[in-house]
């Protein structure tokens, strides 16, 4: 299965400190990074080329409508997902769901049309139930707006006959990014809220991105003060991850290398984890290159890949082996006395039976 990540939006409406859209905003080298929306015409041409490319090599493919951007702020998001649905193309998207007025009755038809395309996955990223905690991880966001939009989605699924099979066809879930200070009543309340709405709930480890900062983070003195503050909230810092994985052999392999990442302007990125355009862009226009040529372009600009795989950075980005990450998070939760212990997943698309449980040794 060939994976295509298409960043239809070249920016985001939030400034999360663990994401480069937030933690690179004062970097002069990045200030000129292109922003904007992929035109619907360009999107259609890209999809038709993907279909032709994969047909030639007899390979199936899937589309993710995001990388660093927020897909639901795209002015043509309805047309984009309906186009994919009409083409019988499997696609997914992740959203912070901080979409103003989406829950209001006048926007019900827009939301319904999106849901009626039955994405393979809809992931809603959150980091708290109360605003005080949520805004630390989702800077600029409003958790009450997110909750209203979640309720609007649940109401449509429950009350519209065209969506009766929605949960069988779409893995709709909240991805709760865990930090050292939000596995208290915040995580329990969000879990209960999700159960009420019939949304799946998946805890996942927050970590510092992009790859460039992950590399800098191994030597924490290379990070700025804001990034260091973010590190204080992480269960596993880049330095800790490096030590945790240093004896694990990955044979310099990276499963992300075969993915095709397309920016909103049609350019092709080296990797989904890289943000700096000087390091990221390997081809100016996806439409002008074959799959074989794109992989050649990536290999020619893969100096960063060598640094990454030599130091097992790809394992940090993918958070594998999963059992090692789970064990280290659990140990940290016990040490710092969090109220709830978590079962974590990175790319899980199925229900977790017991995502959280009360810490039996918790002391106030």
């Amino acid at each position: 299965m060939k994976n295509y990540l298409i960043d239809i939006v070249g920016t985001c409406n939030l400034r999360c400190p663990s994401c480069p859209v937030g933690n690179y905003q004062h970097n002069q080298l990045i200030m000129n990074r292109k922003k904007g929306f992929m035109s619907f015409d360009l999107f259609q041409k890209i999809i038709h080329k993907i279909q032709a490319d994969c047909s030639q090599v007899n390979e199936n493919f899937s589309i993710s409508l995001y990388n660093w951007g927020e897909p639901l702020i795209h002015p043509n998001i309805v047309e984009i997902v309906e186009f994919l649905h009409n083409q019988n193309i499997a696609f997914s998207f992740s959203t912070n769901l901080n979409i103003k007025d989406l829950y209001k009755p006048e926007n019900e038809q827009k939301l319904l049309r999106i849901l009626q395309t039955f994405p393979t996955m809809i992931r809603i990223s959150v980091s708290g139930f109360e605003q005080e905690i949520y805004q630390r991880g989702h800077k600029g966001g409003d958790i009450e707006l997110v909750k209203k939009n979640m309720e609007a989605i649940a109401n449509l699924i429950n009350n519209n006959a065209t969506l009766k099979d929605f949960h069988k066809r779409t893995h709709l879930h909240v991805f709760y990014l865990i930090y050292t200070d939000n596995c208290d009543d915040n995580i329990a309340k969000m879990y209960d809220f999700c159960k009420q709405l019939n949304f799946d709930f998946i805890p996942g480890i927050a970590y510092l991105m992009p790859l460039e900062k992950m590399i800098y983070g191994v030597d924490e003195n290379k990070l700025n003060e804001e990034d260091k503050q973010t590190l204080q909230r992480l269960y596993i810092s880049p330095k800790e991850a490096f030590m945790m994985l240093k004896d694990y052999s990955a044979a310099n392999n990276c499963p992300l290398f075969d993915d095709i990442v397309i920016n909103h302007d049609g350019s092709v990125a080296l990797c989904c984890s890289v943000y700096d355009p000087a390091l990221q862009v390997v081809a100016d226009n996806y439409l002008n290159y074959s799959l074989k040529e794109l992989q050649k372009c990536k290999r020619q600009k893969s100096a960063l890949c060598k640094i990454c795989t030599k130091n097992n950075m790809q394992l940090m980005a993918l958070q594998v082996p999963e059992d090692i990450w789970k064990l280290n998070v659990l140990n940290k939760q016990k040490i710092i006395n969090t109220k709830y212990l978590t079962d974590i997943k990175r790319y899980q698309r199925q229900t977790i039976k017991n995502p959280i449980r009360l810490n039996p040794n918790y002391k106030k």
Side-chain angles (χ1 to χ4, degrees):
M1 173 75 76
K2 176 70 71 175
N3 297 313
Y4 288 83
L5 291 86
I6 306 179
D7 222 353
I8 57 174
V9 177
T11 188
C12 184
N13 51 345
L14 303 188
R15 294 295 180 265
C16 305
S18 61
C19 171
V21 180
N23 63 41
Y24 261 120
Q25 61 179 318
H26 301 304
N27 186 307
Q28 293 302 313
L29 295 175
I30 310 296
M31 291 294 282
N32 293 326
R33 179 184 161 93
K34 294 180 180 178
K35 300 179 177 65
F37 303 108
M38 177 177 287
S39 72
F40 184 44
D41 179 65
L42 176 58
F43 180 79
Q44 290 175 297
K45 290 177 180 177
I46 286 173
I47 294 300
H48 288 316
K49 184 175 184 298
I50 290 172
Q51 290 174 312
D53 287 347
C54 290
S55 176
Q56 285 183 355
V57 295
N58 196 29
E59 187 170 18
N60 293 326
F61 66 91
S62 64
I63 303 293
S64 296
L65 293 176
Y66 64 98
N67 191 28
W68 303 120
E70 168 52 57
L72 291 190
I73 66 174
H74 197 293
N76 300 112
I77 185 59
V78 174
E79 290 82 2
I80 285 172
V81 296
E82 287 183 339
F83 173 74
L84 292 172
H85 178 67
N86 292 335
Q87 293 284 316
N88 294 315
I89 294 173
F91 72 96
S92 62
F93 65 84
S94 176
T95 173
N96 59 54
L97 212 58
N98 274 269
I99 311 301
K100 186 178 179 182
D101 297 337
L102 185 64
Y103 65 91
K104 291 187 175 179
E106 60 265 31
N107 288 315
E108 181 178 292
Q109 195 60 29
K110 174 182 178 180
L111 184 56
L112 177 62
R113 288 173 65 185
I114 292 172
L115 296 175
Q116 285 174 331
T117 63
F118 297 96
T120 303
M121 179 196 79
I122 298 176
R123 167 170 288 181
I124 302 167
S125 169
V126 304
S127 56
F129 189 81
E130 306 291 347
Q131 180 65 13
E132 180 185 358
I133 292 293
Y134 174 77
Q135 66 182 351
R136 297 178 190 176
H138 283 73
K139 188 175 181 180
D142 179 355
I143 191 59
E144 296 306 319
L145 173 59
V146 175
K147 286 186 274 189
K148 287 179 181 178
N149 287 334
M150 288 172 63
E151 288 174 331
I153 290 172
N155 287 334
L156 279 174
I157 294 172
N158 293 334
N159 298 312
N160 193 289
T162 64
L163 299 176
K164 65 178 182 178
D165 297 325
F166 186 83
H167 288 294
K168 294 180 181 179
R169 300 174 64 179
T170 298
H171 184 213
L172 172 62
H173 67 273
V174 162
F175 193 63
Y176 190 98
L177 289 166
I178 59 171
Y179 292 88
T180 55
D181 58 2
N182 72 350
C183 289
D184 54 3
D185 289 336
N186 272 266
I187 195 170
K189 288 178 179 178
M190 182 56 77
Y191 177 46
D192 288 341
F193 185 62
C194 288
K195 286 197 293 184
Q196 292 171 22
L197 300 179
N198 198 24
F199 288 22
D200 277 351
F201 180 87
I202 300 176
I205 309 171
Y207 61 115
L208 186 65
M209 289 295 280
L211 176 64
E212 301 94 290
K213 290 219 171 183
M214 199 179 288
I215 293 172
Y216 299 155
V218 174
D219 180 358
E220 295 178 6
N221 291 324
K222 293 183 179 180
L223 296 174
N224 60 40
E225 288 305 312
E226 290 181 358
D227 292 332
K228 289 178 181 178
Q229 290 176 15
T230 300
L231 293 188
Q232 296 303 310
R233 299 187 65 221
L234 300 181
Y235 274 106
I236 300 176
S237 70
K239 184 176 181 179
E240 290 170 329
F242 176 76
M243 296 303 296
M244 184 176 80
L245 299 168
K246 66 182 179 66
D247 296 326
Y248 186 85
S249 175
N252 289 336
N253 290 326
C254 180
L256 298 175
F257 189 81
D258 288 332
D259 291 351
I260 303 296
V261 184
I262 304 173
N263 297 319
H264 79 281
D265 61 354
S267 62
V268 180
L270 173 65
C271 171
C272 62
S273 298
V274 182
Y275 189 72
D276 185 338
L279 301 170
Q280 187 213 44
V281 177
V282 297
D284 60 347
N285 190 336
Y286 168 76
L287 299 177
N288 296 335
Y289 296 82
S290 67
L291 275 175
K292 187 175 181 180
E293 289 171 331
L294 286 175
Q295 295 301 73
K296 182 179 179 181
C297 290
K298 291 170 75 172
R299 283 191 292 270
Q300 289 173 342
K301 203 171 182 179
S302 61
L304 189 62
C305 295
K306 293 176 182 177
I307 296 172
C308 177
T309 54
K310 181 181 178 181
N311 294 285
N312 279 343
M313 295 288 178
Q314 79 277 26
L315 303 184
M316 296 188 204
L318 291 166
Q319 295 182 353
V320 292
E322 190 173 273
D323 57 341
I324 294 178
W325 287 85
K326 276 187 180 183
L327 179 62
N328 279 270
V329 168
L330 185 61
N331 288 338
K332 179 70 73 72
Q333 288 178 333
K334 291 177 179 178
I335 290 170
I336 66 176
N337 188 40
T338 61
K339 188 170 183 178
Y340 290 90
L341 307 177
T342 59
D343 184 6
I344 59 168
K345 292 288 182 181
R346 181 70 181 96
Y347 291 110
Q348 179 71 35
R349 293 194 177 188
Q350 296 179 358
T351 301
I352 301 177
K353 187 174 181 180
N354 297 303
I356 67 171
R357 63 190 185 280
L358 191 65
N359 183 352
N361 299 314
Y362 173 71
K363 295 179 181 179
K364 292 183 180 181

